[in-house]
Amino acid sequence: MALKCPFCDSAVAETSDTFREEYINFYGNRDRGLLFYENEKETDYDLKLKKLLCPGCERTSYNIEGIQGEYQNISLPVHPISNAKMLPEYIPGVLRSDYEEAYSILSLSPKASATLSRRCLQGMIRDFFEISKSSLNDEINSIEDLVSSDQKSVLHSLRKIGNVGAHLEKDVNLIIDVTSEDAEKLLLVLEYFFNEWYISKHNTELLFSDIQNIDKGIQEQRKI
């Protein structure tokens, strides 16, 4: 089974040298290998600590998962604190910060995470397209000729989901929930647009510059 390192994004083969699980309850802890040797069951414990050592970058990540009862819905990254990707520094710092913060509170407050994703999206549109309108709705509509219809649709969907956390409903007693799974999908959309608008553009500029420099070098040699 292939796992993925959250630090360098490399695939890691699951072996005893790269992946281990430890079971925890109030009375102690037990390595997975000893769990069944001692004739114990997974459900004798409350939490599971997953440890992944990446042979590529040689860093270790830790995640905690609940097993039973009041703990069963727990799934928290311990180190790194979130599953946010390491974005390149040529992406504006405020956008990277909003994205990373939205990921860090994903499990604790999905609604707040969705609101931060909305804010991050608005910052991306203002920075990349160099526009600023009175609302995100107007800003998305103003770039409709620069994005596909599918992209425009998902931009509006992210905006509206983020609005759930940003604005109260007219009926204050009406509670609309945003799950952590919902909020994480918004972050995947942000990653898509980071790649489309920033990373692909940057890589294309580097490639074109390399080709032009190669051509320049060849032409200079022909003059000799």
Side-chain angles (χ1 to χ4, degrees):
M1 177 181 177
L3 304 170
K4 183 167 286 190
C5 174
F7 295 105
C8 66
D9 211 33
S10 297
V12 179
E14 182 180 332
T15 70
S16 58
D17 293 325
T18 61
F19 181 74
R20 296 182 183 180
E21 291 179 325
E22 192 172 315
Y23 292 81
I24 304 167
N25 62 20
F26 177 77
Y27 301 100
N29 59 292
R30 183 81 71 186
D31 185 82
R32 178 180 173 84
L34 295 175
L35 183 70
F36 303 107
Y37 179 77
E38 298 289 342
N39 293 319
E40 294 177 315
K41 303 186 297 295
E42 182 175 294
T43 50
D44 291 332
Y45 292 83
D46 299 323
L47 300 168
K48 182 192 302 182
L49 175 64
K50 294 186 172 184
K51 300 174 280 187
L52 177 67
L53 173 61
C54 176
C57 66
E58 299 183 340
R59 300 183 71 180
T60 304
S61 59
Y62 297 89
N63 287 272
I64 285 181
E65 290 185 2
I67 296 174
Q68 63 168 340
E70 62 186 294
Y71 309 100
Q72 63 184 349
N73 293 322
I74 293 176
S75 180
L76 293 173
V78 178
H79 181 69
I81 198 170
S82 81
N83 293 321
K85 294 185 181 298
M86 297 291 291
L87 296 174
E89 292 189 359
Y90 54 77
I91 293 175
V94 66
L95 303 181
R96 288 184 278 121
S97 177
D98 281 349
Y99 162 76
E100 290 166 3
E101 186 177 348
Y103 239 124
S104 70
I105 61 173
L106 181 61
S107 298
L108 295 175
S109 180
K111 194 177 293 185
S113 176
T115 302
L116 272 170
S117 290
R118 180 192 182 282
R119 168 189 158 101
C120 183
L121 173 64
Q122 186 164 29
M124 291 168 69
I125 290 174
R126 289 182 173 183
D127 174 70
F128 187 79
F129 295 100
E130 298 181 341
I131 62 167
S132 181
K133 302 287 185 180
S134 60
S135 69
L136 178 55
N137 180 59
D138 291 341
E139 288 166 347
I140 294 173
N141 288 335
S142 71
I143 62 171
E144 62 181 351
D145 294 333
L146 304 174
V147 297
S148 69
S149 59
D150 286 342
Q151 289 174 334
K152 179 186 175 184
S153 177
V154 79
L155 289 172
H156 275 303
S157 292
L158 192 156
R159 172 185 64 81
K160 289 184 284 187
I161 296 169
N163 282 345
V164 172
H167 307 295
L168 281 173
E169 299 296 321
K170 292 181 180 179
D171 180 357
V172 296
N173 294 310
L174 177 62
I175 299 175
I176 299 177
D177 195 22
V178 176
T179 68
S180 57
E181 290 79 11
D182 297 335
E184 186 169 22
K185 285 185 170 64
L186 300 187
L187 289 162
L188 294 178
V189 171
L190 289 183
E191 290 172 5
Y192 168 82
F193 284 109
F194 274 129
N195 185 67
E196 283 287 301
W197 293 342
Y198 291 92
I199 299 173
S200 290
K201 178 176 181 288
H202 178 78
N203 290 341
T204 299
E205 289 173 349
L206 289 179
L207 175 61
F208 286 4
S209 177
D210 287 344
I211 295 299
Q212 290 166 355
N213 288 333
I214 291 170
D215 177 48
K216 182 179 179 181
I218 290 174
Q219 299 311 318
E220 288 177 350
Q221 291 180 47
R222 294 178 67 184
K223 294 177 182 178
I224 298 175

